[in-house]
Amino acid sequence: MHVTPPKPREWLKTTTGIYCEPGDFHIDPTAPVDRAVITHGHGDHARPNNRHVLATDGTLAIMRARFGKEAGGQLQSAAYGERIRIGEVDITLVPAGHVLGSAQIVLEYRGSRVVVSGDYKRRPDATCAPFEPQPCDVFITEATFGLPVFRHPPDRHEIDKLLHSLRLFPERCHVIGVYALGKCQRVLTMLRDRGYHEPVYLHGALITLCDLYCAHGVDLGPVLPCAGVPPAALKGRIVLAPPGATNDRWARKLPDVVVGMASGWMRVRQRAKARGVELPLVISDHADWDELIATLEDVGAPEIWVTHGREEALVHQARLMGLRARALSIAGFEEED
Ligand SMILES: [Zn+2]
Ligand SMILES: [Zn+2]
């Protein structure tokens, strides 16, 4: 008797993140669960207090740094490419190119292969392993920048804008808003790559994760804490700070500030304006529209599930490409980057 294997939609549910029934685990659960598999350390993917956590070394280190004892009951690390069986499901973590430790979760169950990509990008990033396209039957993709207006310019171009401003205003302090996990370290390595080897000053909230990246072998060049440095010494310097700090009291003590911000959202002029950003740098850790489409082509999956962002436009695009596509609409994801 021939039994047709169950379709992924019958064994992967979207409750509290993505729930895999035959393995009895959740991927990036939005509330604490018994067994969690975590794609990467950003706050809307990695949350505290799961009883058991499976993730890469890098992701576990980030979770420990952020949550301390609440990182999870039991923490199990998996190397990229290592195959791990949970229940009836084989799991492999594969690089996603998003931030240090970020992984796509490859699930194999009764002949079908599903890839939960988490967040990803396709551009080179010296701070993490590059995205590896995996052939699969169902590809679950993010869509943070899933609209045709989102086309990120070349990274090099954006970093050169910062270096150019620094030459133009050698007396002004350039305070650049960056997310603490990923963007901060990426901007540092990009500056070094463009030949900037001066010390870069860090707001206190960025130091722990920079140390963590260094401990994982990422060379950030000379970085110094801002704390204790006389404001006059920061003239003509680059200071990195969390996005919320660039316009607060702390920043007002700095000399003649140029406020910058490194984010994919800087593509939207009103957003830059609303945040008082004079120097918008369109640098994103997420795939842009063209990269999302290129990725659908690269993985060659006949079926696409879209989550996390502008779902409808990408669903429509996938259908135009002749693929089956659906929006997952999982609650609990924030607008990241
Ligand atoms: Zn992320
Ligand atoms: Zn995300």
Side-chain angles (χ1 to χ4, degrees), residues 237-321:
R237 296 294 187 178
I238 298 174
V239 174
L240 300 182
T246 55
N247 287 306
D248 71 0
R249 260 179 51 220
W250 168 84
R252 283 199 287 273
K253 286 187 214 140
L254 303 174
D256 197 9
V257 167
V258 175
V259 175
M261 166 107 176
S263 164
W265 297 111
M266 290 297 102
R267 177 76 180 69
V268 185
R269 231 169 267 258
Q270 301 93 293
R271 289 223 189 194
K273 248 188 162 174
R275 281 188 172 265
V277 174
E278 198 177 330
L279 186 65
L281 305 173
V282 187
I283 299 173
S284 175
D285 281 331
H286 295 268
D288 70 3
W289 178 252
D290 293 330
E291 290 159 1
L292 289 169
I293 292 168
T295 304
L296 300 191
E297 283 166 357
D298 288 349
V299 300
E303 187 168 340
I304 308 295
W305 299 357
V306 184
T307 178
H308 207 31
R310 317 298 173 106
E311 301 182 356
E312 290 308 328
L314 194 58
V315 165
H316 181 70
Q317 173 64 27
R319 286 178 185 153
L320 289 179
M321 293 163 74

Side-chain angles (χ1 to χ4, degrees), residues 40 42 44-45 98 118-119 142 144 286 308 333-334 336:
H40 68 285
H42 278 143
D44 51 340
H45 297 260
H98 178 56
D119 291 340
E142 63 141 317
T144 303
H286 295 268
H308 207 31
F333 286 109
E334 288 140 28
E336 181 183 288

